[in-house]
Amino acid sequence: MKKNINHFEVIIGAIVLLCAVVFLYSSTKIAKIKSPSGYIVTAKFDNSSGIETGSDVTISGVKIGTVQDYDLDATDYRAVITLLVEDKIKLPVDSSIKITSSGLLGSKYLEISPGSDEEMLANNDEILFTQSSISLEELLGKFLFSSSDKKNDK
């Protein structure tokens, strides 16, 4: 009797493992998980708040890469963001990049505006034209204090 129970447990365990493998395989296919490939590009920003490793890099709202790393340049104290851009996307040397957010309180991502130069960025090149993150708190503070200053002037 005990031998039948052991076989039954083994069969159930094998079925559970098979289901787990099928689930993992199908979830990677659905999520379109693939190994990252592309070329590295860097950009320096005065303020990179909200950007993290894994943040999206887009052109016209279409994801073309991800943020691989970010660090501080010890010489000019600017944030250096390293991007991985898909191989099939070639960026002109005079392209610009800005930090923007999806909605008022949404997550931040990098938006690239392609330039018109015929020369393209190569691996480990830098995008020179950058626009830093806009701080919502600073904007609200300026708005509130400027409106109170106008009331005091009257």
Side-chain angles (χ1 to χ4, degrees):
M1 180 86 177
K2 197 165 193 149
K3 204 173 196 182
N4 288 340
I5 293 174
N6 287 339
H7 288 299
F8 180 71
E9 289 174 353
V10 170
I11 291 171
I12 295 298
I15 291 172
V16 168
L17 284 176
L18 181 65
C19 290
V21 169
V22 168
F23 173 75
L24 287 174
Y25 176 76
S26 62
S27 64
T28 57
K29 285 295 185 186
I30 290 171
K32 297 180 182 175
I33 296 174
K34 54 187 172 187
S35 61
S37 64
Y39 61 99
I40 299 294
V41 177
T42 60
K44 290 184 179 181
F45 294 90
D46 293 329
N47 180 4
S48 67
S49 62
I51 296 296
E52 302 172 351
T53 302
S55 294
D56 290 344
V57 178
T58 65
I59 294 178
S60 302
V62 178
K63 182 178 175 181
I64 57 119
T66 57
V67 173
Q68 293 296 301
D69 191 23
Y70 58 96
D71 199 7
L72 184 68
D73 186 344
T75 58
D76 62 2
Y77 303 106
R78 296 178 70 198
V80 179
I81 298 180
T82 305
L83 319 169
L84 180 67
V85 179
E86 293 177 7
D87 281 327
K88 65 182 180 178
I89 306 298
K90 302 299 180 199
L91 298 172
V93 172
D94 61 341
S95 296
S96 64
I97 187 168
K98 67 179 177 177
I99 298 174
T100 188
S101 63
S102 54
L104 187 59
L105 299 174
S107 62
K108 296 202 175 182
Y109 63 94
L110 294 167
E111 177 74 27
I112 295 178
S113 298
S116 58
D117 200 321
E118 292 183 16
E119 185 180 351
M120 300 297 166
L121 290 170
N123 193 33
N124 295 319
D125 279 352
E126 180 180 353
I127 298 176
L128 299 175
F129 306 108
T130 63
Q131 181 180 343
S132 295
S133 178
I134 297 172
S135 171
L136 183 61
E137 293 85 8
E138 286 180 24
L139 290 176
L140 285 174
K142 286 180 183 178
F143 174 74
L144 292 174
F145 289 121
S146 70
S147 64
S148 67
D149 289 342
K150 288 179 185 177
K151 289 179 185 177
N152 292 337
D153 289 343
K154 291 183 179 180

